[in-house]
Amino acid sequence: MNVADARILHLFANYKWTGPADPAIRAAARLRALGLDVTFAQGIVTHRGGEHRMAEELARAGVPVVVGLELRKHFHLGALLRDVRALRRLIARDRCDLLHCHLPADHLIAALAVRGLPQPPAIVRSLYDPEPPPRGLRSRAAFRATFGAIAPARAAADGVVAGFGLPPGRVLLQPPVTEPRRLDGPDLRAAWGLDGRHRVVGITARIQPHRRFDLLWATARAVVDAVPHARFVLLGRGNERDVREHVTEPIARLGLQGHVVLPGYQKGAAYDAALRTLDAFLFLVPGSDGTCRAVCDAMAFGRPVVCTRAGILPELMASPRPGETPGHACEDTPAALSAALVRYLRDDPLRARDGAAALRRAREDMDPVAAARRTAARYQQALSTRGEARR
């Protein structure tokens, strides 16, 4: 079967705007832009009072949806069995040829739904962490019915080969992607009370205890001591208690009140304007998105990055072009992180050179159109051997 004639359904078992949600929707939209018949299963379950952000963003992206599955994030036997039956009916009704799974729960639903079908849809799984999934009972069952996987990092790709027996030729190593950005648009320097003297470091992070805000403020204090006109901008939100304990109180304790800007969570054009304002970007700990989309977004604006060596971050900083450095992955200490930031803030040519390398890394290695074409090619490979999870 030719991929251009195939019917492809994406599954995402979460209604919240969690880390992998944005890349999953963008992938579906880009595949549709290539002319593929892609739809997205929109879960019908939300918590009481919960915002169905997935529905909002799918509509914004123009991706057609199908409903009828609960698609719960966490394991629930009754919901699992209902979704398996509903997906089997959907496969028969829409004559689905391929299921693209994005999260562990929907992967298991797909694997159980295709069991015993005379001509089962092929299954492809996207991974969003730099390490492979844990090799538990449910993940083993899911991967037994899976044709191939798309992995963002070498360790994840090698891990699904070693841990689940996928043939290496069916695992696509695909770096995270980021959309092209308009570089010459408005910024927020004046709105934040900053002028040409100031050097601005930004960080995007939800305000939560595990995101290492202690490390952030200790680093900021060391940078400000060396570069008094440095300013740190925190783009993120959190509950009242976490904001107080991890942001406002430590800022006051360290005497950083005049050196930190707190605009809160930004999205869309406002987030783009915020990133244009920065001179450098700082990132400490991956959150729910193991691909560290915030780092890729900053690179798409030509901002050099200073980060720790957690997760996928060292791979993002490793340009395939010899001599180019889009940023530095450092030890997770205030001394190491502040030293790298101070070099950028004091050395305009260095900052410009590494910023240009970051922009090339984003545009050439994280190109979403090229990624969509590689995914379509993997679909074609799966469809050519449809019905064979393994051979």
Side-chain angles (χ1 to χ4, degrees), residues 8 45 58 64 66 72 88 116 127 133-134 163 171 179 207 232 245 258 283 314 321 336 348 367 385:
I8 300 153
V45 169
L58 283 163
V66 294
R72 297 175 184 265
R88 286 174 70 92
L127 303 173
V171 180
E179 299 292 323
I207 300 171
F232 281 75
E245 292 184 0
F283 198 83
R321 286 164 289 282
D348 294 351
D367 175 21
T385 56

Side-chain angles (χ1 to χ4, degrees), residues 192 207 217 232-236 243 247-248 251 260-264 266:
W192 291 343
I207 300 171
W217 304 129
F232 281 75
V233 178
L234 172 58
L235 302 167
V243 170
V247 179
T248 55
I251 287 174
V260 177
V261 181
L262 300 173
Q266 306 290 306

Side-chain angles (χ1 to χ4, degrees), residues 130-132 153-160 173 315:
E131 300 295 333
R154 172 54 61 188
D158 292 344
V160 293
L173 177 59
E315 290 191 42

Side-chain angles (χ1 to χ4, degrees), residues 120-182:
I123 295 176
V124 171
R125 168 73 190 276
S126 278
L127 303 173
Y128 295 95
D129 289 314
E131 300 295 333
R135 197 173 176 273
L137 178 64
R138 293 195 289 269
S139 60
R140 293 200 306 271
F143 274 100
R144 275 197 295 271
T146 300
F147 172 83
I150 301 171
R154 172 54 61 188
D158 292 344
V160 293
V161 170
F164 299 102
L166 286 181
R170 296 186 181 183
V171 180
L172 173 63
L173 177 59
Q174 183 157 277
V177 302
T178 186
E179 299 292 323
R181 298 312 206 279
R182 180 187 166 197

